[in-house]
């Protein structure tokens, strides 16, 4: 049971660090450490399923934090007058979007783990550096 909690906590912390690196929080410096932690967690995971779940949970936390703007959308302009229905509709769309987009992170972590034997530890620094430079 302790291993499951470590996967959940590490995925959530990595997703939080990467979400806080977005421009709205003005902590762009966290991109590099967040990606290094992400690739390191995937690299030291014991099997492919753990790598998938670390990537999936990191992506889920990342997207749910970054899509918090869904909650500011007014559905009254779209004809939904009931606030109770609007809450559940926004919650459903917010959750479904986060789950769907987090699958890409999980699949990426799974593919990274498959290529693990062919990739060196130096790539843990090269891939985040390339991603960070490409973003700026």
């Amino acid at each position: 049971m302790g291993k499951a909690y470590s996967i959940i906590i590490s995925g959530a912390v990595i997703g939080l660090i990467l979400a806080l690196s977005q421009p709205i929080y003005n902590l762009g410096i966290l991109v590099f450490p967040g990606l290094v932690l992400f690739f390191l967690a995937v690299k030291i995971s014991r099997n492919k399923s753990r790598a998938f779940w670390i990537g999936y949970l990191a992506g889920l936390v990342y997207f749910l934090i970054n899509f918090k703007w869904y909650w500011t959308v007014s559905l009254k302009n779209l004809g939904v007058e009931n606030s109770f229905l609007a809450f559940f509709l926004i919650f459903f769309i917010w959750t479904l979007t986060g789950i769907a987009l987090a699958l890409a992170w999980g699949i990426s972590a799974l593919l990274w783990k498959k290529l693990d034997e062919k990739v060196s530890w130096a790539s843990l620094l090269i891939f985040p550096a390339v991603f960070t430079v490409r973003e700026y």
Side-chain angles (χ1 to χ4, degrees), residues 16-37 128-129 131-133 135-136:
L16 178 66
I17 290 171
L18 289 171
L20 290 175
S21 70
Q22 295 298 311
I24 193 168
Y25 302 109
N26 202 17
L27 294 171
I29 192 107
L30 293 177
V31 169
F32 189 75
L35 287 173
V36 168
L37 286 174
F131 181 82
T132 305
V133 168
E135 283 292 314
Y136 293 108

Side-chain angles (χ1 to χ4, degrees), residues 92-109:
F92 176 73
I93 293 170
W94 176 67
T95 307
L96 187 65
T97 305
I99 288 170
L101 292 175
L103 280 174
W105 284 45
I107 293 169
S108 297

Side-chain angles (χ1 to χ4, degrees), residues 4 24 35 42 63 86 89 110-111 120 124 133:
I24 193 168
L35 287 173
V42 170
F63 286 117
L89 186 61
L110 180 70
L111 292 175
S120 68
L124 287 173
V133 168

Side-chain angles (χ1 to χ4, degrees), residues 63-115:
F63 286 117
L64 290 180
I65 290 172
N66 283 321
F67 288 150
K68 70 176 190 268
W69 61 267
Y70 278 19
W71 295 100
T72 63
V73 174
S74 173
L75 294 181
K76 289 185 179 181
N77 298 336
L78 299 174
V80 180
E81 296 293 330
N82 187 346
S83 60
F84 185 73
L85 177 63
F87 171 80
F88 282 107
L89 186 61
I90 290 174
F91 179 77
F92 176 73
I93 293 170
W94 176 67
T95 307
L96 187 65
T97 305
I99 288 170
L101 292 175
L103 280 174
W105 284 45
I107 293 169
S108 297
L110 180 70
L111 292 175
W112 175 266
K113 188 63 178 174
K114 275 188 158 190
L115 297 173

